[in-house]
């Protein structure tokens, strides 16, 4: 209401003023020109065309402005060729064009619509200013679309009016260019253009370099401008995006007829949407860009991500698997130097690489992408995976869960991560190490899909890692450290390869587990181990320092533990005497704590599945550390998992339900722990007993002696004569509780730790598993007992 009243007042005042001394026309014809001081108005008088001088300039320009706001010039004809006095004339020239002439000059026009008019000079053309603000040159003899010979909407200057479109339209490239300055409407350094390559987007250039971009059209909106068409609650604005072989255009729509709004660019490199506020008789900015630091094109350089939600000085982060190009000036230049692949990072070409999902982003500049509009997301992932040069992919159309395929091959430039839900998901190719590290969270949550990435969590302002990440070792440094894997450095042979001692250039001692090349499951188990152990920190777990992956070799680098493994001492007559009862008890407790941590205390619930003496390493103080997580599994709360294809583990330590039926749970580890406990006390291997001779195995023997209360027969002779009988027999009882046949009867690991720590009453153990009834051949047949072996084995089809 106010608006209309104000408008009418202004209009009346203006009309009154104009009628005093100037003419007010609605057309220019061959017989009717416009001279400086005259005006051409649109039919409903919203727009006015006339001569004006911007700011402090004395030059005269022909422009179009709003009738109610002459400061809002929306178009300029002779922007680069001003009239130096007030003798300019806008007229239909002899060739039928609209031309700007200088009265006293007979030279060429200062400006002309410059189209070919046929028939030439039949005085049939005329000019009209439409109510949309479009100035049109029409051939009056042609009463249809092709009668429009020229229109200012095809030649915009710095302002986009409602219903105007920019882009590529039947061979024409329509774009905006800024003024030089407030006093000079000449063609300035900034332009707003449609970039048709890859997936089309709108780019604001400043001095020919990219300054800001909208992001590509994702089916709903510009990827980088999620709210442009939903700025007001009543949905006043919209965008009509057309992309076909004839045109790639964006038409800006103002849906609410009571709203007057324009989009303008200026010479400083700013794009603004302004709206007229009748009450205040002024224009207000309702949206502008760039505003956030992250809006600046390429703010964080190649392979960098800008985060809209962090403080200014820590805007930038690197993609997973990438590190700052120059860590020295990362902070100095606020991350703008960009990122490169991490030093020593494994190859990402058919080397176990996967994709890491980066949610809610303005995807990298898509002007060099490959676009396959018909691919599904699954096919898109495959397409990218199969080409080693492909570094990322994303859906081209986010509607209906995503379809179409954008794949990136070069530098990933200008990626911004939004706070939430605004952008779209980007999938980054990442090496095996990155994906297994990021994978932990994912596995723990039992989700499928690629891994989420939160760069803020993973990288700090100076580009260093916030959490203890694994180090990448290059093959060369490992070769030097291990003397080319010399035999003299070999520490042992594990299930999946050999272990070597090494000394790094800085003197640090390491143990290198080198996966055997021929191990079929090598990479999977390798990943599992890295995934698990990199997240685990406990004094009774061996510490993983890093890894080394290349196409040939897969290696894990551990802290070096000088005192070898428990079996080295335990099962050797001469060395077993080095372990007195106190040390053995500390080892028993240490292992229990380590297993408990895996089962309960760590963020994940992990079943080790291969607890045995050779997997217990000893540090310089004989503190035990559990190693070899190649078989470990992460499971949900109190879950029992079944693996019917493969039973992997070590016989002698394997619980019956696992060995026979492939069912494993934390109670399988408890069983293995019980066997180990009894081995530590007895100094004998459970597996040293031969089935063929049908003698009971270690557990069977201990069970028999326990029932006959012959504790001394059980205990390792090298512990004699002095050991605390009560404590030792209590430990035997705990061991027997752990190896009971039925998993439900066995204590949990926390109960074990509790029983070891406090002198509480213990329950009586039931019959353990795997007892051979050698004394009575007529009793029930023994359960099937697998061949006995002290190495980790893999058995196919256990059922
Ligand atoms: C103004 O421009 C016209 C033609 O463009 C030229 O003939 C004339 O000399 C100029 N006048 C001045 C004062 O520069
Ligand atoms: C051109 O200028 C002369 C004198 O300066 C004036 O008489 C004449 O009317 C002008 N012509 C037009 C078309 O304005
Ligand atoms: C008109 O167009 C022709 C050909 O494109 C060009 O050479 C000429 O300079 C233009 N004239 C004006 C006044 O813009
Ligand atoms: C065009 O209009 C001019 C001025 O009104 C007139 O002198 C001329 O004869 C006309 N030409 C034709 C071909 O109608
Ligand atoms: C010029 O226009 C007139 C009508 O205004 C028409 O009768 C005549 O045929 C036209 N001449 C040409 C050469 O098209
Ligand atoms: C003038 O016409 C335009 C286009 O039809 C319309 O959007 C606008 O509301 C009209 N203005 C007035 C004051 O009638
Ligand atoms: C427009 O009109 C002209 C002549 O009146 C005719 O030749 C042309 O085919 C028409 N074009 C369309 C698109 O109708
Ligand atoms: C995409 O699919 C549509 C419909 O099946 C088909 O017409 C079009 O040719 C396909 N485009 C490409 C590039 O394969
Ligand atoms: C991988 O993609 C790039 C870019 O599209 C292409 O040039 C190259 O030939 C592709 N390589 C293979 C092996 O397909
Ligand atoms: C390791 O092997 C490489 C090449 O096989 C050889 O050049 C180098 O001298 C060897 N280093 C040692 C310490 O044996
Ligand atoms: C364990 O290692 C430390 C340091 O290497 C050594 O001093 C100690 O004698 C070792 N203990 C045994 C029992 O070998
Ligand atoms: C089993 O352990 C014994 C004692 O450490 C060892 O001599 C034997 O070689 C091992 N068997 C295998 C198959 O590794």
């Amino acid at each position: 209401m106010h608006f209309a009243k104000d408008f009418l007042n202004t209009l009346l005042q203006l009309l009154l003023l104009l009628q005093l001394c100037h003419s007010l026309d609605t057309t220019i014809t061959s017989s009717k020109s416009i001279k400086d001081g005259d005006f051409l108005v649109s039919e409903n008088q919203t727009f006015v065309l006339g001569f004006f001088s911007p700011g402090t300039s004395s030059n005269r320009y022909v422009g179009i402005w709003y009738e109610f706001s002459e400061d809002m010039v929306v178009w300029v004809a002779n922007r680069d060729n001003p009239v130096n006095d007030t003798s300019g004339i806008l007229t239909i020239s002899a060739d039928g064009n609209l031309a700007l002439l200088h009265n006293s000059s007979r030279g060429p026009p200062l400006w002309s619509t410059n189209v070919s008019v046929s028939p030439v000079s039949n005085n049939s053309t005329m000019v009209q200013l439409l109510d949309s603000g479009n100035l049109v040159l029409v051939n009056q003899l042609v009463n249809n679309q092709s009668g429009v010979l020229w229109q200012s909407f095809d030649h915009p200057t710095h302002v986009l009016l409602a219903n105007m479109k920019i882009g590529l339209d039947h061979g024409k490239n329509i774009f905006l260019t800024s003024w030089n300055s407030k006093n000079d409407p000449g063609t300035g350094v900034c332009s707003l253009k449609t970039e048709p390559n890859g997936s089309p987007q709108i780019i604001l250039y400043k001095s020919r370099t990219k300054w800001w971009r909208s992001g590509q059209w994702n089916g709903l909106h510009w990827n980088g401008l999620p709210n442009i068409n939903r700025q007001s609650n009543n949905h006043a604005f919209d965008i009509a995006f057309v992309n076909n072989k004839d045109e790639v255009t964006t038409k800006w729509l103002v849906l609410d007829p009571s709203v007057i709004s324009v989009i303008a660019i200026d010479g400083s490199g700013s794009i603004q949407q302004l709206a007229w506020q009748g009450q205040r008789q002024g224009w207000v900015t309702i949206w502008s860009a760039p505003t956030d630091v992250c809006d600046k094109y390429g703010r964080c350089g190649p392979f960098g991500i800008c985060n809209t939600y962090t403080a200014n000085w820590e805007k930038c982060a690197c993609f997973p698997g990438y590190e700052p190009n120059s860590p020295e000036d990362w902070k100095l230049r606020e991350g703008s130097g960009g990122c490169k692949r991490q030093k020593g990072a494994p190859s990402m070409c058919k080397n176990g690489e996967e994709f890491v999902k980066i949610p809610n982003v303005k995807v990298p500049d898509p002007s060099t992408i490959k676009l396959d509009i018909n691919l599904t997301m699954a096919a898109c992932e495959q397409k990218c995976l199969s080409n080693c040069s492909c570094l990322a992919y994303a859906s081209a159309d986010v509607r209906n869960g995503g379809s179409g395929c954008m794949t990136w091959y070069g530098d990933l430039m200008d990626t911004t991560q939004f706070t939430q839900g605004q952008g779209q998901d980007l999938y980054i190719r990442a090496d095996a190490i990155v994906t297994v590290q990021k994978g932990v969270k994912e596995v723990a949550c039992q989700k499928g899909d690629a891994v989420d990435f939160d760069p803020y969590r993973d990288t700090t302002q100076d580009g260093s890692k916030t959490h203890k990440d694994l180090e990448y070792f290059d093959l060369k440094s490992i070769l030097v450290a291990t003397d080319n894997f010399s035999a003299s450095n070999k520490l042992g042979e594990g299930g999946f390869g050999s272990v070597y001692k090494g000394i790094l250039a800085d003197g640090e001692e390491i143990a290198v587990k080198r996966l055997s090349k021929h191990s079929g499951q090598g990479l999977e188990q390798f990943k599992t181990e890295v995934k698990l152990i990199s997240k685990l920190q406990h004094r009774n777990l061996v510490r993983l320092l890093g890894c080394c992956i290349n196409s040939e070799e897969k290696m894990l680098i551990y802290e070096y533990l000088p005192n070898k493994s428990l079996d080295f001492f335990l099962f050797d007559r001469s060395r077993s005497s080095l372990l007195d009862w106190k040390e053995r008890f500390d080892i028993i407790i240490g292992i229990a704590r380590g297993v408990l941590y895996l089962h309960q205390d760590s963020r994940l619930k992990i079943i080790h599945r291969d607890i045995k003496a050779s997997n217990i390493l000893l540090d310089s103080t004989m503190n035990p550390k559990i190693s070899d997580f190649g078989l470990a599994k992460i499971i949900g709360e109190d879950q029992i998992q079944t693996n019917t294809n493969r039973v992997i583990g070590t016989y002698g330590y394997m619980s019956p339900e696992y060995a026979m039926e492939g069912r494993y749970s934390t109670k399988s580890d408890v069983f293995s722990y019980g066997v180990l406990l009894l081995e530590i006390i007895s100094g004998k291997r459970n597996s040293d007993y031969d089935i063929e001779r049908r003698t009971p195995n270690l557990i069977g023997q201990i069970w028999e002696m326990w029932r006959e209360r012959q504790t001394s027969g059980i205990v390792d002779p090298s512990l004699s004569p002095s050991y605390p009988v009560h404590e030792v027999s209590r430990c035997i009882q705990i061991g027997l509780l752990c190896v009971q046949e039925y998993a439900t009867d066995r204590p949990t690991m926390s109960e074990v730790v509790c029983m070891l720590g406090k002198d509480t009453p213990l329950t009586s153990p039931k019959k353990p598993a795997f007892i051979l009834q050698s004394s009575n051949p007529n009793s029930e047949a023994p359960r099937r007992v697998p061949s006995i072996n002290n190495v980790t084995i893999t058995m196919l089809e256990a059922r």
Side-chain angles (χ1 to χ4, degrees), residues 485-501 511-514 560 564-565 567-568 614 617:
F485 295 114
S486 71
S488 61
N489 277 328
K490 192 160 172 173
L491 295 172
E493 186 90 38
F496 299 104
S498 312
V499 182
Y500 295 85
K501 183 184 177 179
V512 180
K513 181 169 154 189
R514 184 188 194 191
Y560 174 72
K564 302 207 159 61
S565 52
D567 60 335
F568 177 78
S614 59
L617 306 184

Side-chain angles (χ1 to χ4, degrees), residues 335-589:
S336 61
C339 308
K340 57 170 193 256
R341 282 300 308 289
Q342 260 161 23
K343 190 164 172 287
S347 150
M348 292 197 296
C349 188
K350 317 248 186 299
N351 194 27
E353 70 273 15
E354 287 173 54
F355 292 95
V356 172
K357 179 167 106 185
I358 305 187
N360 305 330
V361 295
K362 177 178 180 178
V363 300
D365 190 346
S367 45
T368 57
I369 59 149
K370 294 271 176 292
L371 183 64
D372 300 88
I373 209 69
N374 283 352
L375 288 189
T376 63
M377 285 309 281
C380 190
E381 176 173 1
Q382 274 317 304
K383 178 192 160 131
C384 192
L385 194 61
S386 66
N387 184 331
C388 291
S389 320
C390 180
L391 295 178
Y393 75 91
S395 68
D397 189 332
V398 299
R399 288 173 296 181
N400 306 321
S403 65
C405 180
M406 296 193 284
T407 44
W408 280 261
Y409 299 87
D411 283 358
L412 303 176
M413 277 300 282
D414 196 44
T415 312
T416 295
Q417 188 162 41
F418 298 115
T419 359
Q420 55 200 329
Q422 297 171 0
Q424 68 179 87
D425 296 337
L426 175 71
Y427 297 86
I428 290 287
R429 191 188 201 99
D431 63 63
I433 295 178
V434 169
T435 57
V436 295
Q437 284 184 16
K438 311 287 175 213
V440 173
K441 187 175 128 210
E442 206 68 25
V443 176
C445 304
Q446 305 283 319
K447 280 193 273 155
D449 216 331
V451 185
D452 277 17
F453 172 63
D454 175 358
Y456 183 52
R457 184 195 63 205
D458 286 25
T459 325
T460 60
Q461 38 152 325
D462 62 355
S464 65
K465 302 290 167 49
T466 49
H467 61 75
K468 279 202 188 71
D469 250 342
L470 295 184
E471 211 178 311
Y472 297 125
F473 291 84
D474 60 15
L475 185 57
K476 226 172 90 192
S477 68
I478 298 299
L479 285 174
V480 170
T482 60
D483 229 349
N484 286 354
F485 295 114
S486 71
S488 61
N489 277 328
K490 192 160 172 173
L491 295 172
E493 186 90 38
F496 299 104
S498 312
V499 182
Y500 295 85
K501 183 184 177 179
I503 300 174
L504 294 176
D506 64 3
E508 188 180 0
E509 290 181 314
I510 53 170
V512 180
K513 181 169 154 189
R514 184 188 194 191
L515 254 79
S516 82
K517 288 175 200 168
H518 312 293
S519 157
Q521 301 115 24
L523 187 60
E524 275 319 299
Q525 259 133 16
F526 179 82
K527 284 182 168 193
T528 305
E529 182 152 11
V530 176
K531 204 186 280 188
L532 294 183
I533 203 166
S534 66
K535 297 288 169 184
L536 303 177
Q537 295 281 343
H538 190 269
R539 85 179 226 104
N540 295 112
L541 301 184
V542 69
R543 197 158 63 86
L544 184 67
L545 302 176
C547 50
C548 173
I549 307 185
N550 70 20
S551 47
E552 307 266 292
E553 298 274 0
K554 284 157 191 61
M555 285 173 278
L556 293 165
I557 320 299
Y558 292 99
E559 61 177 326
Y560 174 72
L561 299 173
N563 283 329
K564 302 207 159 61
S565 52
L566 185 54
D567 60 335
F568 177 78
F569 288 97
L570 214 48
F571 306 133
D572 181 280
R573 286 257 168 275
S574 56
R575 288 189 286 258
S576 66
S577 59
L578 295 172
L579 293 178
D580 63 17
W581 173 249
K582 190 189 171 300
E583 273 169 327
R584 288 189 200 209
F585 187 69
D586 286 346
I587 289 169
I588 287 168
I589 280 223

Side-chain angles (χ1 to χ4, degrees), residues 685 789-791:
R685 281 183 199 277
N789 196 341
N790 54 341
V791 295

